[in-house]
Amino acid sequence: MEAGSHGQLLSAELNMPFSDSVKYILLGTSVALLLVALGILTWQTFRYCKTRNTYTRQATVHSDVLYLDEKPRTAENYSAAPSSKVEEVSTEVLKLSRCLPQVPIASTDSSHTGEVEEQGSIKKVDGSLRFSVHYDQPQSRLGVTILQVKGLHCQTGGIQPFVKVRVMWAGSRRVKVADCKDEEGEGASPALWTVLQEWQTRIVKGICSPLFGEKFSCVLEQEKDMLQSINLRMEVWDFDKFSRNTLLGHVRAPLGHLNISDPLELHEDLQIPQKDLVGEVLLSLKFLPTSQRLEVGLLKVRTVLTNTGSDSALYARISVQCNHYKLGYQKTSAVSRDLVTIFNEVLMFSLPEFPMEQCKILVSVYETHTSWKSTKHLMGQLTVGKEKGSEDKHWTLMMRSVRQPVAKWHSLLI
């Protein structure tokens, strides 16, 4: 009797002191949470299977779509050799690929990194540049004087113009190509330029037609007809302390077509900016979908070799931007400059989760000197990637051949 009464008391204590309506509400809430959890699990399973099937289809693409724009020897020293088919392309085809017209672009310049990025085309350029040029034949000295910039469009917040002067030399000979016609009807490939000297004027604040009166000079090599292959490229920039400098326009002066034995003063309108071909870069790309990583391999850099000294070296700064978010940058080691500078370095970047609507790889090649501390000199840049409406051919090949490196030559522009 005592044991039975004790059990009844214990069961009475275990009963929940809630009404039936509260119990039904708790039961309904539990069932709803269970259904939500099952729905999330089903969606994640479907998403995983869809992503896996996509990568499986991409990995089964025949390896014939992989190719190199160079002979097999271009990657013979590459530490992680690409398992792709290499197709020999003749020199004539390579020259035909360079017969594309220069695309006018608007550029920006960073005072911290020296990077130049594209911001779309410029439809109208205001202003003009007044300058003078003189070449002293006995001393082989070229003198350039920036006199004045006129007629710039003044914005509401004011303008702070300055001028960059580059002495450009066409280091490679123009080779005639049968299927590439220039404006005069003769087949020719674009010349490979190099920057011999670079100067910059002071910054003038808040004036739309500033006076400079600054003179620059340099000694040119005493080679036959060297002056015929030199162009002056003068760029007018708007300085911005808190953002990137904006390129307003430029003026080109081919010295071979001018009589500059005596000081010659010129007044030219600013033109739409155009970039010059200064070299080529052999770049390798590999996408690893499982770890969501991108491998960027800098194999070789081909430039015009000038007599800048044996201590001249090159290094590259590679940055990646996806979905308008900067993923950081990495630098290669400095390598002694040669006609073809060999790097064979691979840099790895972690990419965000899918979808990648926009992704851009910016490669900037700099020249420096190893014997003394000197400021870096930007030689040129190239961009590879995809946008919402289009993507680069190299990027397309990389996505078709996941887990395999794909190498391709790219033009280095400045």
Side-chain angles (χ1 to χ4, degrees), residues 33 45 55 63 70-71 74-75 90 99 101 124 126 136 183 189 196 203 205 207 219 226 246 258 261 274 315 395:
L33 292 176
T45 304
Y55 289 143
S63 60
E70 181 70 1
K71 296 182 180 180
T74 53
S90 62
C99 294
K124 183 180 179 181
D126 296 325
D136 189 354
E183 296 178 353
S189 63
L196 299 180
I203 300 172
K205 298 182 179 180
I207 300 178
V219 178
M226 182 177 184
T246 303
L258 301 175
S261 56
Q274 293 181 343
Y315 76 92
W395 184 273

Side-chain angles (χ1 to χ4, degrees), residues 40-267:
I40 294 176
L41 179 62
T42 304
W43 166 251
Q44 293 293 339
T45 304
F46 171 75
R47 184 182 178 185
Y48 171 77
C49 295
K50 182 179 178 181
T51 306
R52 185 176 181 182
N53 292 336
T54 302
Y55 289 143
T56 303
R57 290 195 301 268
Q58 291 179 348
T60 56
V61 177
H62 199 271
S63 60
D64 288 345
V65 301
L66 306 178
Y67 66 92
L68 291 176
D69 287 351
E70 181 70 1
K71 296 182 180 180
R73 59 182 176 81
T74 53
E76 59 186 0
N77 296 324
Y78 185 36
S79 58
S83 57
S84 58
K85 181 180 178 181
V86 180
E87 178 181 341
E88 294 189 5
V89 182
S90 62
T91 307
E92 288 75 15
V93 176
L94 181 60
K95 289 179 171 53
L96 283 174
S97 65
R98 298 188 211 156
C99 294
L100 299 176
Q102 292 178 320
V103 180
I105 60 171
S107 303
T108 57
D109 176 72
S110 172
S111 58
H112 301 286
T113 62
E115 291 184 358
V116 180
E117 299 181 356
E118 302 177 4
Q119 288 188 340
S121 60
I122 296 180
K123 297 181 179 180
K124 183 180 179 181
V125 177
D126 296 325
S128 59
L129 176 64
R130 189 164 62 91
F131 62 97
S132 66
V133 187
H134 172 60
Y135 181 66
D136 189 354
Q137 182 69 31
Q139 298 183 3
S140 300
R141 180 173 294 275
L142 175 65
V144 181
T145 304
I146 303 299
L147 300 175
Q148 185 181 15
V149 177
K150 292 184 176 181
L152 295 179
H153 176 68
C154 290
Q155 302 175 356
T156 305
I159 191 173
Q160 303 182 46
F162 67 94
V163 182
K164 277 186 179 180
V165 182
R166 287 190 176 100
V167 181
M168 310 286 295
W169 175 56
S172 62
R173 297 180 301 173
R174 287 183 173 269
V175 182
K176 291 186 177 180
V177 181
D179 296 333
C180 180
K181 301 292 184 180
D182 57 8
E183 296 178 353
E184 299 176 359
E186 298 179 358
S189 63
L192 200 62
W193 296 87
T194 186
V195 180
L196 299 180
Q197 289 288 338
E198 184 175 351
W199 305 296
Q200 179 178 320
T201 66
R202 71 184 189 278
I203 300 172
V204 181
K205 298 182 179 180
I207 300 178
C208 299
S209 298
L211 290 171
F212 291 97
E214 298 187 34
K215 184 176 181 179
F216 308 97
S217 64
C218 65
V219 178
L220 303 178
E221 297 180 6
Q222 296 182 354
E223 294 184 4
K224 185 178 180 181
D225 297 333
M226 182 177 184
L227 197 63
Q228 304 295 324
S229 303
I230 290 181
N231 280 7
L232 284 182
R233 177 174 157 183
M234 293 156 285
E235 301 171 341
V236 180
W237 293 78
D238 180 18
F239 174 76
D240 192 337
K241 182 179 180 180
F242 303 102
S243 182
R244 296 184 179 273
N245 304 331
T246 303
L247 179 57
L248 304 178
H250 77 170
V251 171
R252 293 177 183 268
L255 301 186
H257 299 162
L258 301 175
N259 182 13
I260 55 176
S261 56
D262 294 324
L264 177 63
E265 182 175 328
L266 299 172
H267 191 180

